[in-house]
């Protein structure tokens, strides 16, 4: 499959711009792009939020430790979804990321990818309920339960104990006690 040049210059110019031109010693730009697409299964799962966008095109090549598609040599590589965006839409502007509308890390379908800032990425994650922010006593580093937090606040409000005394009682720092009292920490309780 030969991909014609799209916005942002010729395939050669685009590949140089994204830092993978060193791989073109082995391939022409068209061959490089063809090899990239040969690692894609276009019969992946359906888009979970908008079936009109069709199926995910799932990366079948190497994955990085975070589960994203990884393409290139050991020393010079990039995320597969970023390369897919670049092939299809041109260069990625500085300060922007490529986000997945389908939330499938291995998807490289250009119809499922969109430009956004880091802030947009965080908002998208939270809006879709994918935030991995475990809070309160469910957090693996939590030292006191929700009941203890309520008890700590009530004890301090009574004026009979100091923050230092509470820190010794609960095995947490005085600064942490102060943040719990002011509801900077454990505000959900």
């Amino acid at each position: 499959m030969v991909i014609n040049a799209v916005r942002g210059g010729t395939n050669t110019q685009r590949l140089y711009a994204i830092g993978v031109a060193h791989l073109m010693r082995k391939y022409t730009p068209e061959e490089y792009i063809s090899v990239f697409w040969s690692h894609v299964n276009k019969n992946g799962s359906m888009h979970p939020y908008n079936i009109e966008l069709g199926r995910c095109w799932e990366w079948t090549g190497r994955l990085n430790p975070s589960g994203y598609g990884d393409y290139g040599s050991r020393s010079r590589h990039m995320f597969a979804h970023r390369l897919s965006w670049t092939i299809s839409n041109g260069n990625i502007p500085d300060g922007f990321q490529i986000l997945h509308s389908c939330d499938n890390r291995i998807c490289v379908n250009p119809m499922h990818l969109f430009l956004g800032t880091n802030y947009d990425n965080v908002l998208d994650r939270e809006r879709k309920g994918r935030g991995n922010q475990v809070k309160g006593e469910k957090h693996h580093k939590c030292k006191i339960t929700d009941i203890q937090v309520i008890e700590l606040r009530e004890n301090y409000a009574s004026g009979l104990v100091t923050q230092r005394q509470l820190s010794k009682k609960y095995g947490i720092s005085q600064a942490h006690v102060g943040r719990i009292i002011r509801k900077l920490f454990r505000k959900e309780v």
Side-chain angles (χ1 to χ4, degrees):
M1 168 193 314
V2 175
I3 306 296
N4 292 328
V6 293
R7 286 171 283 180
T10 66
N11 286 331
T12 303
Q13 290 168 330
R14 243 182 290 109
L15 293 173
Y16 272 100
I18 60 174
V20 293
H22 67 285
L23 294 172
M24 292 189 311
R25 288 182 223 130
K26 187 174 178 182
Y27 301 113
T28 67
E30 288 74 20
E31 289 171 331
Y32 180 82
I33 293 168
S34 181
V35 170
F36 170 82
W37 289 120
S38 74
H39 293 287
V40 175
N41 171 15
K42 292 186 178 180
N43 293 314
S45 57
M46 286 300 290
H47 192 290
Y49 308 110
N50 186 352
I51 59 170
E52 292 175 9
L53 291 177
R55 296 189 172 279
C56 288
W57 296 359
E58 295 178 343
W59 180 251
T60 60
R62 183 178 61 229
L63 301 179
N64 74 9
S66 299
Y68 288 93
D70 193 26
Y71 187 63
S73 67
R74 292 186 192 274
S75 61
R76 298 284 299 206
H77 53 91
M78 70 183 306
F79 289 124
H81 65 284
R82 290 177 62 88
L83 184 54
S84 172
W85 171 271
T86 302
I87 291 168
S88 301
N89 299 292
N91 293 329
I92 301 166
D94 288 341
F96 283 87
Q97 300 175 352
I98 302 302
L99 313 179
H100 289 90
S101 64
C102 58
D103 297 335
N104 182 354
R105 292 178 181 193
I106 62 172
C107 181
V108 296
N109 183 342
M111 295 296 294
H112 294 192
L113 305 174
F114 63 100
L115 278 174
T117 63
N118 186 58
Y119 183 70
D120 295 330
N121 199 11
V122 170
L123 288 178
D124 183 56
R125 181 188 73 200
E126 294 300 321
R127 187 173 35 253
K128 293 175 180 172
R130 291 183 291 106
N132 58 357
Q133 301 291 328
V134 179
K135 296 180 180 176
E137 62 186 24
K138 293 181 180 176
H139 193 278
H140 69 282
K141 289 188 174 182
C142 180
K143 293 184 178 180
I144 62 175
T145 66
D146 291 346
I147 293 170
Q148 290 173 316
V149 168
I150 294 167
E151 184 181 284
L152 179 148
R153 288 182 179 140
E154 288 173 352
N155 285 340
Y156 186 75
S158 73
L160 301 175
V161 292
T162 66
Q163 288 184 16
R164 180 166 288 188
Q165 290 169 323
L166 290 169
S167 74
K168 288 181 181 173
K169 178 179 179 181
Y170 293 104
I172 58 177
S173 72
Q174 186 270 319
H176 197 90
V177 169
R179 291 182 186 110
I180 290 173
I181 291 167
R182 294 189 311 274
K183 294 194 176 185
L184 297 174
F185 290 170
R186 305 296 292 273
K187 41 186 141 174
E188 72 279 358
V189 179

Short mmCIF file of all heavy atoms in Angstrom, two decimals, residues 49 99-100 103 105 118-133:
data_model
loop_
_atom_site.label_atom_id
_atom_site.label_comp_id
_atom_site.label_asym_id
_atom_site.label_seq_id
_atom_site.Cartn_x
_atom_site.Cartn_y
_atom_site.Cartn_z
N TYR A 49 -18.00 4.11 22.10
CA TYR A 49 -18.85 5.28 22.34
C TYR A 49 -19.58 5.76 21.09
O TYR A 49 -20.54 6.51 21.19
CB TYR A 49 -18.02 6.43 22.91
CG TYR A 49 -17.21 6.03 24.12
CD1 TYR A 49 -15.83 5.94 24.06
CD2 TYR A 49 -17.83 5.72 25.32
CE1 TYR A 49 -15.09 5.56 25.17
CE2 TYR A 49 -17.11 5.34 26.42
CZ TYR A 49 -15.74 5.26 26.34
OH TYR A 49 -15.02 4.88 27.44
N LEU A 99 -4.87 11.75 21.25
CA LEU A 99 -5.75 11.09 22.20
C LEU A 99 -6.62 10.06 21.47
O LEU A 99 -6.90 10.21 20.29
CB LEU A 99 -6.64 12.12 22.90
CG LEU A 99 -5.93 13.37 23.44
CD1 LEU A 99 -6.92 14.30 24.09
CD2 LEU A 99 -4.83 13.00 24.40
N HIS A 100 -7.05 9.06 22.21
CA HIS A 100 -7.91 8.00 21.67
C HIS A 100 -9.36 8.27 22.08
O HIS A 100 -9.67 8.30 23.26
CB HIS A 100 -7.52 6.63 22.24
CG HIS A 100 -6.23 6.10 21.75
ND1 HIS A 100 -5.02 6.35 22.36
CD2 HIS A 100 -5.95 5.31 20.68
CE1 HIS A 100 -4.07 5.72 21.70
NE2 HIS A 100 -4.60 5.10 20.68
N ASP A 103 -10.52 4.88 23.68
CA ASP A 103 -9.85 4.44 24.91
C ASP A 103 -9.13 3.10 24.75
O ASP A 103 -8.89 2.40 25.73
CB ASP A 103 -10.82 4.34 26.09
CG ASP A 103 -11.42 5.68 26.45
OD1 ASP A 103 -10.79 6.70 26.16
OD2 ASP A 103 -12.53 5.70 27.02
N ARG A 105 -5.72 1.58 23.83
CA ARG A 105 -4.33 2.01 23.68
C ARG A 105 -3.65 1.48 22.43
O ARG A 105 -2.71 2.07 21.93
CB ARG A 105 -3.52 1.60 24.91
CG ARG A 105 -3.92 2.35 26.14
CD ARG A 105 -3.13 1.89 27.34
NE ARG A 105 -3.58 2.64 28.50
CZ ARG A 105 -2.94 2.68 29.64
NH1 ARG A 105 -1.82 2.00 29.79
NH2 ARG A 105 -3.41 3.38 30.64
N ASN A 118 -2.37 18.00 27.20
CA ASN A 118 -2.35 17.11 28.36
C ASN A 118 -3.60 17.33 29.20
O ASN A 118 -4.21 16.38 29.70
CB ASN A 118 -1.09 17.34 29.19
CG ASN A 118 -0.97 16.34 30.30
OD1 ASN A 118 -0.94 15.14 30.05
ND2 ASN A 118 -0.93 16.81 31.54
N TYR A 119 -4.00 18.59 29.36
CA TYR A 119 -5.21 18.91 30.13
C TYR A 119 -6.44 18.27 29.49
O TYR A 119 -7.28 17.71 30.19
CB TYR A 119 -5.37 20.43 30.21
CG TYR A 119 -6.55 20.88 31.03
CD1 TYR A 119 -6.56 20.72 32.42
CD2 TYR A 119 -7.66 21.45 30.43
CE1 TYR A 119 -7.64 21.13 33.17
CE2 TYR A 119 -8.75 21.86 31.17
CZ TYR A 119 -8.74 21.69 32.55
OH TYR A 119 -9.81 22.10 33.29
N ASP A 120 -6.55 18.33 28.17
CA ASP A 120 -7.66 17.68 27.46
C ASP A 120 -7.66 16.18 27.73
O ASP A 120 -8.72 15.57 27.90
CB ASP A 120 -7.56 17.90 25.95
CG ASP A 120 -7.69 19.35 25.54
OD1 ASP A 120 -8.39 20.11 26.23
OD2 ASP A 120 -7.07 19.71 24.51
N ASN A 121 -6.48 15.58 27.77
CA ASN A 121 -6.34 14.15 28.02
C ASN A 121 -6.86 13.80 29.42
O ASN A 121 -7.58 12.82 29.60
CB ASN A 121 -4.88 13.74 27.86
CG ASN A 121 -4.71 12.25 27.63
OD1 ASN A 121 -5.65 11.53 27.39
ND2 ASN A 121 -3.48 11.81 27.72
N VAL A 122 -6.49 14.60 30.41
CA VAL A 122 -6.95 14.36 31.79
C VAL A 122 -8.47 14.51 31.88
O VAL A 122 -9.15 13.67 32.49
CB VAL A 122 -6.23 15.32 32.77
CG1 VAL A 122 -6.85 15.26 34.16
CG2 VAL A 122 -4.75 15.00 32.82
N LEU A 123 -9.02 15.57 31.27
CA LEU A 123 -10.47 15.77 31.28
C LEU A 123 -11.20 14.62 30.61
O LEU A 123 -12.22 14.14 31.10
CB LEU A 123 -10.84 17.09 30.60
CG LEU A 123 -10.50 18.37 31.33
CD1 LEU A 123 -10.90 19.58 30.49
CD2 LEU A 123 -11.18 18.42 32.68
N ASP A 124 -10.67 14.16 29.47
CA ASP A 124 -11.27 13.04 28.75
C ASP A 124 -11.27 11.78 29.61
O ASP A 124 -12.27 11.07 29.69
CB ASP A 124 -10.50 12.81 27.44
CG ASP A 124 -11.11 11.73 26.57
OD1 ASP A 124 -12.30 11.82 26.25
OD2 ASP A 124 -10.37 10.78 26.22
N ARG A 125 -10.16 11.53 30.27
CA ARG A 125 -10.04 10.35 31.14
C ARG A 125 -11.06 10.41 32.27
O ARG A 125 -11.77 9.45 32.54
CB ARG A 125 -8.63 10.28 31.71
CG ARG A 125 -8.40 9.08 32.61
CD ARG A 125 -7.08 9.16 33.31
NE ARG A 125 -7.18 10.18 34.34
CZ ARG A 125 -6.15 10.79 34.90
NH1 ARG A 125 -4.93 10.51 34.51
NH2 ARG A 125 -6.32 11.70 35.81
N GLU A 126 -11.18 11.56 32.92
CA GLU A 126 -12.10 11.70 34.04
C GLU A 126 -13.56 11.62 33.57
O GLU A 126 -14.39 11.01 34.22
CB GLU A 126 -11.85 13.01 34.79
CG GLU A 126 -10.50 13.07 35.48
CD GLU A 126 -10.30 11.98 36.51
OE1 GLU A 126 -11.26 11.64 37.25
OE2 GLU A 126 -9.17 11.46 36.60
N ARG A 127 -13.87 12.26 32.44
CA ARG A 127 -15.23 12.27 31.91
C ARG A 127 -15.69 10.85 31.59
O ARG A 127 -16.86 10.52 31.75
CB ARG A 127 -15.26 13.14 30.66
CG ARG A 127 -16.63 13.38 30.08
CD ARG A 127 -16.69 14.37 28.93
NE ARG A 127 -15.56 14.39 28.04
CZ ARG A 127 -14.62 15.37 28.00
NH1 ARG A 127 -14.68 16.39 28.82
NH2 ARG A 127 -13.62 15.30 27.14
N LYS A 128 -14.77 10.00 31.18
CA LYS A 128 -15.12 8.62 30.82
C LYS A 128 -14.97 7.66 32.00
O LYS A 128 -15.11 6.45 31.85
CB LYS A 128 -14.25 8.15 29.66
CG LYS A 128 -14.56 8.90 28.37
CD LYS A 128 -13.60 8.51 27.27
CE LYS A 128 -13.89 9.25 25.99
NZ LYS A 128 -12.85 9.02 24.98
N GLY A 129 -14.66 8.21 33.18
CA GLY A 129 -14.57 7.37 34.37
C GLY A 129 -13.37 6.46 34.40
O GLY A 129 -13.41 5.41 35.03
N ARG A 130 -12.29 6.84 33.72
CA ARG A 130 -11.10 5.99 33.69
C ARG A 130 -10.03 6.48 34.64
O ARG A 130 -8.92 5.98 34.64
CB ARG A 130 -10.52 5.94 32.27
CG ARG A 130 -11.36 5.22 31.29
CD ARG A 130 -10.70 5.14 29.93
NE ARG A 130 -10.63 6.45 29.29
CZ ARG A 130 -9.51 7.16 29.17
NH1 ARG A 130 -8.38 6.73 29.62
NH2 ARG A 130 -9.55 8.34 28.57
N GLY A 131 -10.33 7.49 35.44
CA GLY A 131 -9.33 8.00 36.36
C GLY A 131 -8.91 6.90 37.32
O GLY A 131 -9.75 6.21 37.88
N ASN A 132 -7.63 6.72 37.46
CA ASN A 132 -7.14 5.66 38.34
C ASN A 132 -6.76 6.22 39.70
O ASN A 132 -5.88 5.70 40.37
CB ASN A 132 -5.96 4.93 37.69
CG ASN A 132 -4.82 5.88 37.36
OD1 ASN A 132 -4.92 7.08 37.56
ND2 ASN A 132 -3.73 5.33 36.85
N GLN A 133 -7.44 7.28 40.10
CA GLN A 133 -7.15 7.91 41.37
C GLN A 133 -7.94 7.21 42.48
O GLN A 133 -9.06 7.58 42.77
CB GLN A 133 -7.51 9.40 41.31
CG GLN A 133 -6.77 10.17 40.25
CD GLN A 133 -5.30 10.30 40.57
OE1 GLN A 133 -4.90 10.37 41.72
NE2 GLN A 133 -4.48 10.33 39.54
#
